[in-house]
Each structure stands twice: as structure tokens, then as C-alpha cells.
Amino acid sequence: MLENESPNPMDGDWVWKGALGTPVPGLDGTVLKLSAQFYFLYAGYGHFPDYGSAIYIIRMSNPYTLTGDHVLLTAPTFSWEKQGGMAINEGPVMLHRNGRVFLIFSASTTWTEDYALGMLTRMKKMIQC
């Protein structure tokens, strides 16, 4: 995590705040702010028997400190998320629209034509995009 107090990220000094200690190794981290609360979303990977990576969320006490347990938001369970020889959900991105929050994510393997986008809303996976 890097911090810069300048309103313009091209100005000021960047300060290394350290790596975020997620409960499982991860990548593709992003921060969601709802009201005054920050959350960290990431693709956790490791030695899962059924999938290569899944998307987790964990509360933050400030923009560089995780607090509490992480919660699994989505794991690859549909056939379109398991193409190319590996079951993957990764690359979480938040979309805010008309007061609603959507989680857009990548699914399946990046090295095939089957790489896809999915959308999560109201804790239900939507169809492949």
C-alpha cells in the first residue's frame, strides 16, 4: 500500500505503508467505500480443491489496515467460469449506478478465448457478459 497526501497523485511524496495481510494469498486488490466504511476486495488463491481463485471481501479500519475475517463473495461454480482448464474468479471492479453497487469480475483463464466477465449484485451471480 502506498500513500500520497497530495490531491494530485502526480505531486507529493509516496510513502510505503506495507503490504496488506490478507488471510489467503491474493492479487487484483481494490478498495470499495460505502458510506464512510472501506472494504478491500481481492482474488484469493492457494490450495483450493475446487478452484484456482475466488473473490473475497474484508473490512478496513483505514485505507491501509484490514480488520476482521474475510468473506467469500464469489467462487467459480458455473461452467463459463471454468473454461481453459482452471476455475477462476479474479479482477474485482466495483460499478456504482443509480444508488446500486455491482461487482464486475473476470472468469475462466486469461489465455483462452473463453475469458469472460461476470457481474455480482444482491449476492447473486448474473449471467456471463
Side-chain angles (χ1 to χ4, degrees):
M1 179 65 71
L2 293 170
E3 180 180 52
N4 183 341
E5 296 194 13
S6 172
N8 181 345
M10 303 306 284
D11 295 332
D13 294 320
W14 289 95
V15 177
W16 173 251
K17 302 299 281 188
L20 294 177
T22 55
V24 296
L27 69 158
D28 298 338
T30 191
V31 175
L32 166 65
K33 184 178 179 187
L34 286 176
S35 301
Q37 179 63 57
F38 289 99
Y39 299 90
F40 185 68
L41 289 89
Y42 70 104
Y45 62 91
H47 303 284
F48 303 113
D50 297 329
Y51 54 85
S53 63
I55 301 193
Y56 294 90
I57 187 170
I58 188 168
R59 187 182 302 266
M60 302 179 85
S61 57
N62 59 46
Y64 50 85
T65 305
L66 305 177
T67 183
D69 294 326
H70 72 174
V71 174
L72 176 67
L73 287 182
T74 180
T77 56
F78 296 112
S79 62
W80 61 268
E81 298 172 294
K82 300 177 180 184
Q83 301 301 307
M86 192 170 249
I88 293 175
N89 284 173
E90 62 186 5
V93 175
M94 305 312 297
L95 173 65
H96 300 260
R97 176 84 172 142
N98 296 330
R100 296 180 67 194
V101 179
F102 302 89
L103 169 63
I104 310 300
F105 62 95
S106 302
S108 288
T109 55
T110 61
W111 54 87
T112 71
E113 294 178 3
D114 297 307
Y115 200 46
L117 294 178
M119 182 173 68
L120 185 72
T121 182
R122 293 185 192 199
M123 300 306 161
K124 274 178 109 169
K125 268 192 253 188
M126 305 301 284
I127 61 170
Q128 170 187 359
C129 299

Coordinates of all heavy atoms in Angstrom, one line a residue, residues 11-49:
D11 N 1.9 14.8 -7.9 CA 2.6 15.6 -7.0 C 2.8 14.9 -5.6 O 2.2 13.9 -5.4 CB 1.9 16.9 -6.7 CG 1.8 17.8 -8.0 OD1 2.7 17.7 -8.9 OD2 0.8 18.6 -8.1
G12 N 3.6 15.5 -4.8 CA 3.8 15.0 -3.4 C 4.7 13.8 -3.4 O 5.2 13.3 -4.4
D13 N 4.9 13.3 -2.2 CA 5.7 12.1 -1.9 C 4.9 10.9 -1.6 O 4.0 10.9 -0.8 CB 6.7 12.4 -0.8 CG 7.7 13.5 -1.1 OD1 8.2 13.6 -2.2 OD2 7.9 14.3 -0.1
W14 N 5.3 9.8 -2.2 CA 4.6 8.5 -2.0 C 5.3 7.8 -0.8 O 6.6 7.7 -0.8 CB 4.6 7.6 -3.2 CG 3.7 8.1 -4.3 CD1 4.0 8.9 -5.3 CD2 2.3 7.9 -4.4 NE1 2.9 9.2 -6.1 CE2 1.9 8.6 -5.5 CE3 1.4 7.1 -3.6 CZ2 0.5 8.5 -5.9 CZ3 0.1 7.1 -4.0 CH2 -0.3 7.8 -5.1
V15 N 4.5 7.3 0.1 CA 5.1 6.6 1.3 C 4.6 5.2 1.3 O 3.4 4.9 1.2 CB 4.6 7.3 2.6 CG1 5.1 6.6 3.8 CG2 5.0 8.8 2.6
W16 N 5.5 4.2 1.5 CA 5.2 2.8 1.5 C 4.6 2.5 2.9 O 5.2 2.7 3.9 CB 6.5 2.0 1.3 CG 6.3 0.5 1.5 CD1 6.8 -0.2 2.6 CD2 5.6 -0.4 0.7 NE1 6.4 -1.5 2.4 CE2 5.7 -1.7 1.3 CE3 4.8 -0.3 -0.5 CZ2 5.1 -2.8 0.8 CZ3 4.2 -1.4 -1.0 CH2 4.4 -2.6 -0.4
K17 N 3.4 2.0 2.9 CA 2.7 1.7 4.2 C 2.7 0.2 4.5 O 2.3 -0.2 5.6 CB 1.2 2.2 4.1 CG 1.0 3.6 3.8 CD 1.6 4.5 4.9 CE 0.7 4.6 6.0 NZ 1.1 5.6 7.0
G18 N 3.2 -0.6 3.5 CA 3.3 -2.0 3.7 C 2.3 -2.8 2.9 O 1.3 -2.2 2.3
A19 N 2.5 -4.1 2.9 CA 1.6 -5.0 2.2 C 0.4 -5.3 3.1 O 0.5 -5.4 4.3 CB 2.3 -6.3 1.8
L20 N -0.8 -5.5 2.4 CA -2.0 -5.9 3.2 C -1.9 -7.3 3.5 O -1.7 -8.2 2.6 CB -3.2 -5.5 2.4 CG -3.5 -4.1 2.1 CD1 -4.7 -3.9 1.3 CD2 -3.7 -3.3 3.4
G21 N -2.1 -7.7 4.7 CA -2.0 -9.1 5.2 C -3.3 -9.8 5.0 O -4.1 -10.0 6.0
T22 N -3.7 -10.2 3.8 CA -4.9 -10.9 3.6 C -4.8 -12.3 4.2 O -3.8 -12.9 4.3 CB -5.2 -11.0 2.1 OG1 -4.1 -11.6 1.4 CG2 -5.5 -9.6 1.5
P23 N -6.0 -12.9 4.6 CA -6.0 -14.2 5.2 C -5.4 -15.3 4.2 O -4.9 -16.3 4.7 CB -7.5 -14.5 5.5 CG -8.0 -13.1 5.7 CD -7.3 -12.3 4.7
V24 N -5.6 -15.2 2.9 CA -5.1 -16.1 1.9 C -4.3 -15.3 0.9 O -4.6 -14.1 0.8 CB -6.1 -17.0 1.2 CG1 -6.8 -17.9 2.2 CG2 -7.1 -16.2 0.5
P25 N -3.3 -15.8 0.3 CA -2.6 -15.1 -0.7 C -3.5 -14.5 -1.8 O -4.6 -15.2 -2.1 CB -1.6 -16.1 -1.4 CG -1.5 -17.2 -0.4 CD -2.8 -17.2 0.4
G26 N -3.3 -13.3 -2.3 CA -4.2 -12.8 -3.2 C -3.6 -11.8 -4.3 O -2.4 -11.5 -4.2
L27 N -4.4 -11.4 -5.2 CA -4.0 -10.4 -6.2 C -5.2 -9.7 -6.6 O -6.3 -9.9 -6.2 CB -3.4 -11.1 -7.4 CG -4.3 -12.0 -8.3 CD1 -3.6 -12.1 -9.7 CD2 -4.5 -13.4 -7.7
D28 N -5.0 -8.7 -7.5 CA -6.1 -7.9 -8.0 C -6.9 -7.1 -7.0 O -8.1 -7.0 -7.1 CB -7.1 -8.7 -8.9 CG -6.4 -9.4 -10.1 OD1 -5.3 -8.9 -10.5 OD2 -6.9 -10.4 -10.6
G29 N -6.3 -6.6 -6.0 CA -7.0 -5.9 -4.9 C -7.6 -4.6 -5.3 O -7.0 -3.9 -6.2
T30 N -8.7 -4.3 -4.8 CA -9.4 -3.0 -5.0 C -10.1 -2.6 -3.7 O -10.4 -3.4 -2.9 CB -10.3 -3.0 -6.2 OG1 -10.7 -1.7 -6.5 CG2 -11.5 -3.9 -5.9
V31 N -10.3 -1.3 -3.6 CA -11.0 -0.7 -2.4 C -12.4 -0.2 -2.7 O -12.6 0.4 -3.7 CB -10.1 0.4 -1.7 CG1 -10.9 1.0 -0.6 CG2 -8.8 -0.1 -1.3
L32 N -13.3 -0.6 -1.9 CA -14.7 -0.2 -2.0 C -15.0 0.7 -0.8 O -14.7 0.3 0.3 CB -15.7 -1.4 -2.1 CG -17.1 -1.1 -1.9 CD1 -17.7 -0.2 -3.0 CD2 -17.9 -2.4 -1.7
K33 N -15.6 1.9 -1.1 CA -16.0 2.8 0.0 C -17.5 2.9 0.0 O -18.1 3.3 -1.0 CB -15.4 4.1 -0.1 CG -15.7 5.0 1.1 CD -15.1 6.4 1.0 CE -15.5 7.3 2.2 NZ -14.9 8.6 2.0
L34 N -18.2 2.4 1.0 CA -19.7 2.5 1.1 C -19.9 3.4 2.4 O -19.5 3.0 3.5 CB -20.3 1.2 1.3 CG -20.4 0.3 0.1 CD1 -21.0 -1.1 0.4 CD2 -21.2 1.0 -1.0
S35 N -20.6 4.5 2.2 CA -20.8 5.5 3.2 C -19.4 5.9 3.7 O -18.6 6.3 2.9 CB -21.7 4.9 4.3 OG -23.0 4.6 3.8
A36 N -19.1 5.7 5.0 CA -17.8 6.1 5.5 C -16.9 4.8 5.7 O -15.8 4.9 6.2 CB -17.9 6.8 6.8
Q37 N -17.4 3.6 5.3 CA -16.7 2.4 5.6 C -15.9 1.9 4.3 O -16.5 1.9 3.3 CB -17.6 1.3 6.0 CG -17.0 0.0 6.3 CD -16.0 0.0 7.4 OE1 -16.4 0.4 8.5 NE2 -14.8 -0.4 7.2
F38 N -14.6 1.6 4.5 CA -13.8 1.0 3.5 C -13.8 -0.5 3.5 O -13.8 -1.1 4.6 CB -12.4 1.5 3.6 CG -12.2 2.9 3.3 CD1 -12.1 3.9 4.3 CD2 -12.1 3.3 1.9 CE1 -11.9 5.2 4.0 CE2 -11.9 4.7 1.6 CZ -11.8 5.6 2.6
Y39 N -13.8 -1.2 2.4 CA -13.7 -2.6 2.2 C -12.6 -2.9 1.2 O -12.5 -2.2 0.2 CB -15.0 -3.2 1.8 CG -16.1 -3.0 2.7 CD1 -16.9 -1.9 2.6 CD2 -16.4 -3.9 3.8 CE1 -18.0 -1.6 3.5 CE2 -17.5 -3.7 4.6 CZ -18.2 -2.5 4.5 OH -19.3 -2.3 5.4
F40 N -11.9 -4.0 1.4 CA -10.9 -4.5 0.4 C -11.4 -5.7 -0.2 O -11.9 -6.7 0.4 CB -9.6 -4.8 1.1 CG -8.5 -5.1 0.2 CD1 -7.9 -4.2 -0.6 CD2 -7.9 -6.4 0.2 CE1 -6.9 -4.5 -1.5 CE2 -6.9 -6.7 -0.6 CZ -6.4 -5.8 -1.5
L41 N -11.5 -5.7 -1.6 CA -11.9 -6.9 -2.3 C -10.6 -7.4 -3.1 O -9.9 -6.6 -3.6 CB -13.0 -6.6 -3.3 CG -14.3 -6.2 -2.7 CD1 -14.4 -4.8 -2.4 CD2 -15.4 -6.7 -3.7
Y42 N -10.5 -8.7 -3.2 CA -9.3 -9.3 -3.8 C -9.6 -10.7 -4.3 O -10.6 -11.4 -3.9 CB -8.1 -9.3 -2.9 CG -8.1 -10.2 -1.8 CD1 -7.4 -11.4 -1.8 CD2 -8.9 -10.0 -0.6 CE1 -7.4 -12.3 -0.7 CE2 -8.9 -10.8 0.4 CZ -8.2 -12.0 0.4 OH -8.2 -12.8 1.5
A43 N -8.8 -11.2 -5.2 CA -8.9 -12.6 -5.7 C -7.9 -13.4 -4.9 O -6.7 -13.2 -5.0 CB -8.5 -12.6 -7.2
G44 N -8.5 -14.2 -4.0 CA -7.7 -15.1 -3.2 C -7.4 -16.4 -3.9 O -8.2 -16.9 -4.6
Y45 N -6.2 -16.8 -3.8 CA -5.8 -18.1 -4.4 C -4.9 -18.9 -3.5 O -4.5 -18.4 -2.4 CB -5.0 -17.8 -5.8 CG -3.7 -17.1 -5.6 CD1 -2.5 -17.8 -5.4 CD2 -3.7 -15.7 -5.6 CE1 -1.3 -17.1 -5.2 CE2 -2.5 -15.0 -5.5 CZ -1.3 -15.7 -5.3 OH -0.2 -15.0 -5.1
G46 N -4.7 -20.1 -3.8 CA -4.0 -21.0 -2.9 C -4.3 -22.4 -3.3 O -4.4 -22.8 -4.4
H47 N -4.4 -23.2 -2.3 CA -4.6 -24.7 -2.5 C -6.0 -25.1 -2.3 O -6.4 -25.9 -1.4 CB -3.7 -25.4 -1.5 CG -2.2 -25.1 -1.6 ND1 -1.5 -25.5 -2.7 CD2 -1.5 -24.3 -0.9 CE1 -0.3 -25.0 -2.6 NE2 -0.2 -24.2 -1.5
F48 N -6.9 -24.5 -3.1 CA -8.3 -24.8 -3.0 C -8.6 -26.0 -3.9 O -8.1 -26.0 -5.1 CB -9.2 -23.6 -3.5 CG -8.9 -22.3 -2.7 CD1 -8.3 -21.3 -3.3 CD2 -9.3 -22.3 -1.4 CE1 -8.1 -20.1 -2.6 CE2 -9.0 -21.1 -0.7 CZ -8.4 -20.0 -1.3
P49 N -9.3 -27.0 -3.5 CA -9.5 -28.2 -4.3 C -10.4 -28.0 -5.5 O -10.3 -28.6 -6.5 CB -10.1 -29.2 -3.3 CG -10.7 -28.3 -2.2 CD -9.9 -27.1 -2.1

